[in-house]
């Protein structure tokens, strides 16, 4: 049975504040010229704690933050903003159910200013219809049957929120297989394609398809999401497996952005992709 954890749709959640706080502290530490090990010693923290804080995986107390502000020489105005972030990062959230390892991702996409997704053989949860999501979740070996309907409904809510959100810039690249794999059957795929067509026609979204005859590209067998929370702040790369997920930063982000640029170059244009989607809808009618 898949484990579940508490998150919410409306509130991006303290994880976002933890990640932003961690990014600010890492930048301040680097500007101060301190290595992670040197900073850890001066802070009096146990080994590994600072890395967890900088990655957004651990919150800090007011006392710990005050020490970091002093050690890193953070200016008063910036320090006040960090204290606010730290307080937000310790809030509790009302419950909703998602797989435990996906908790951070659900919160991050809710707070993102830009999302870049690549899925080679299917459409991701952020754009799924109920029936398509239900069919995918029903085939999972880590999601319990009792959770399938609830999780499918939550994916629908996220898709609608994203579709109606004019502030989040959304890029989706899929492999041509996504247009042909009949997850849930012919009618379910048609309905899913009709929803993806809505995304493709949305002014804040760009949808592209990598065709079968496009040759080699940089991301065979790999799906991932690049998440930008705030303009000018570090992005995060999210990758997911059957039993867990990874959140990558720094050099990984640079590499994945280069890979995404390559995908955009080899994919069909947004207009030709839309035409391919409409043709496929016609074939499934």
């Amino acid at each position: 049975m898949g484990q579940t954890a508490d998150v919410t749709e409306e509130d991006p959640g303290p994880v976002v504040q933890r990640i932003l706080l961690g990014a600010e502290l890492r930048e301040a530490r680097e500007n101060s010229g301190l290595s992670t090990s040197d900073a850890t010693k001066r802070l009096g923290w146990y080994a590994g704690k600072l890395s967890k804080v900088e990655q957004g995986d651990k919150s800090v107390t007011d006392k710990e933050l005050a020490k970091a502000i002093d050690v890193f020489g953070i200016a008063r105005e910036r320090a006040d903003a960090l204290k606010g972030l730290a307080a937000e990062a310790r809030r509790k959230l009302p419950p909703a159910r998602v797989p435990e390892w996906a908790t951070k991702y659900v919160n991050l996409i809710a707070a993102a200013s830009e999302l870049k997704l690549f899925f080679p053989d299917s459409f991701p949860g952020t754009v799924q219809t109920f029936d398509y999501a239900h069919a995918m979740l029903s085939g999972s070996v880590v999601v319990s049957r009792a959770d399938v309907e609830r999780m499918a409904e939550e994916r629908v809510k996220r898709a609608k929120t994203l579709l109606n959100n004019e502030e989040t810039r959304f890029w989706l690249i899929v492999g041509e297989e996504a247009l042909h794999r009949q997850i849930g059957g012919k009618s379910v795929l048609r309905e899913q394609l009709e929803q993806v067509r809505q995304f493709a026609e949305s002014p804040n979204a760009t949808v592209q398809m990598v065709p079968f005859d496009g040759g080699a590209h940089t991301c065979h067998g790999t799906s991932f999401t690049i998440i930008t929370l705030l303009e000018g702040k570090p992005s995060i790369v999210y990758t997911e497996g059957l039993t867990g997920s990874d959140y990558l930063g720094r050099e990984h982000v640079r590499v994945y952005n280069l890979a995404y640029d390559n995908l955009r170059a080899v994919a069909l244009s947004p207009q030709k992709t839309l035409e391919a989607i409409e043709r496929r809808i016609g074939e499934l009618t």
Side-chain angles (χ1 to χ4, degrees), residues 2-8 94-104 147 150 154:
Q3 292 179 300
T4 57
D6 291 349
V7 296
T8 180
R97 294 169 69 82
V98 297
E100 183 176 20
W101 43 262
T103 299
K104 186 184 293 187
D147 288 333
R150 174 69 174 273
E154 289 173 347

Side-chain angles (χ1 to χ4, degrees), residues 128-139 145 148-149 152 155:
Q128 287 177 3
T129 63
F130 177 83
D131 289 335
Y132 191 91
H134 196 284
M136 288 201 73
L137 292 166
S138 295
R145 292 184 179 180
V148 168
E149 187 163 341
R155 290 188 178 188

